[in-house]
Amino acid sequence: MVRTLIAGNWKMNGLNSSLKEVEAIVDRLSGLADGADILLCPPATMIGAMASMAGDRLKVGGQCCHNKTSGAHTGDISAEMLVDAGATYVIVGHSERRDDHAERSAYVKSQAGAALRAGLVPIVCVGEEYAQRKRGETAEVIERIMRKSLPEMPSGGHGLVVAYEPKWAIGTGEIPTMAEIGEVHALIRKVLVDNYGMEGLKMPILYGGSMKPGNAAEILAVADVNGGLIGGASLKADDFMSIYEAAIN
Ligand code: PGA
């Protein structure tokens, strides 16, 4: 059994005033069974403050990291710095990073490797474009991106998470059918096992793209869906916690 992970990605949203949402999450968590892991990835400016109020249930993560430890890379943040600020996870290869910052799979692999080196769990994102799905290329695209993006696992690595995020489902309200999600997740599991052997059976595979309180239970019931990576619906404690409750019920 893979433990479910409900992960929120705040993207470029959140000011110190948003910490009241974190307070509400921590408060609501205290009354709920510890049936799944829960993580928030705020902007880097908020990681320290969030980590200091997160308690022992809510985990905090970064949204990307550089592949080097330190150096002359203005504006970048290393995996070691994320750890220093209180993070335990980091998202790498999100399609918005791939598009906005031209982060290609070879670089994503090195970022994931940097995360493991620093002791973070990388959440490696993969997903197809709508046109690729229409052309029947989804499986080929996902497998290719995974093979190029997955890092070598050092002994003592703290694990790895893969998020399946169809690009056309992100922030659009559109989602694939449950059968389509199931097919891609089964493929991802197979590639993980090919790559990491038995360890690949233990790695959570998240679904991301317009996951909401209204569709979470159905998506989370699909085989090999071990959680969600949630953008818009993670910004409000109520929505995010409704999704968490769907995961533990
Ligand atoms: P969304 O974003 O939930 O707003 O669609 C998901 C993501 O990009 O991780």
Side-chain angles (χ1 to χ4, degrees), residues 9 11 94 96 165 169-172 208-211 229-233:
N9 171 11
K11 309 189 178 186
H94 191 283
E96 288 151 16
E165 298 212 307
I170 296 176
T172 60
S210 298
M211 194 187 254
L229 181 55
I230 298 127

Side-chain angles (χ1 to χ4, degrees), residues 125-205:
C125 301
V126 299
E128 83 286 2
E129 311 260 5
Y130 190 68
Q132 293 170 324
R133 174 164 283 282
K134 282 286 130 199
R135 291 198 297 267
E137 295 169 3
T138 302
E140 184 193 320
V141 168
I142 298 299
E143 180 153 0
R144 188 176 65 233
I145 300 175
M146 279 185 79
R147 300 241 180 247
K148 289 187 185 167
S149 304
L150 290 178
E152 265 133 57
M153 186 59 68
S155 58
H158 292 255
L160 179 129
V161 176
V162 172
Y164 169 50
E165 298 212 307
K167 283 179 71 173
W168 51 275
I170 296 176
T172 60
E174 309 266 328
I175 58 168
T177 66
M178 297 307 123
E180 288 168 338
I181 293 175
E183 275 167 28
V184 176
H185 279 243
L187 169 70
I188 291 174
R189 177 67 68 208
K190 179 183 156 298
V191 178
L192 284 174
V193 171
D194 279 358
N195 228 56
Y196 301 116
M198 297 299 277
E199 281 302 303
L201 291 172
K202 301 187 202 150
M203 297 171 173
I205 306 172

Side-chain angles (χ1 to χ4, degrees), residues 29-68:
L29 267 181
S30 66
L32 293 172
D34 187 8
D37 288 331
I38 178 164
L39 162 73
L40 268 183
C41 301
T45 48
M46 296 182 71
I47 291 175
M50 197 179 277
S52 69
M53 61 193 286
D56 27 314
R57 295 271 293 278
L58 178 65
K59 300 168 199 298
V60 180
Q63 297 177 6
C64 70
C65 64
H66 197 276
N67 64 355
K68 304 261 177 11

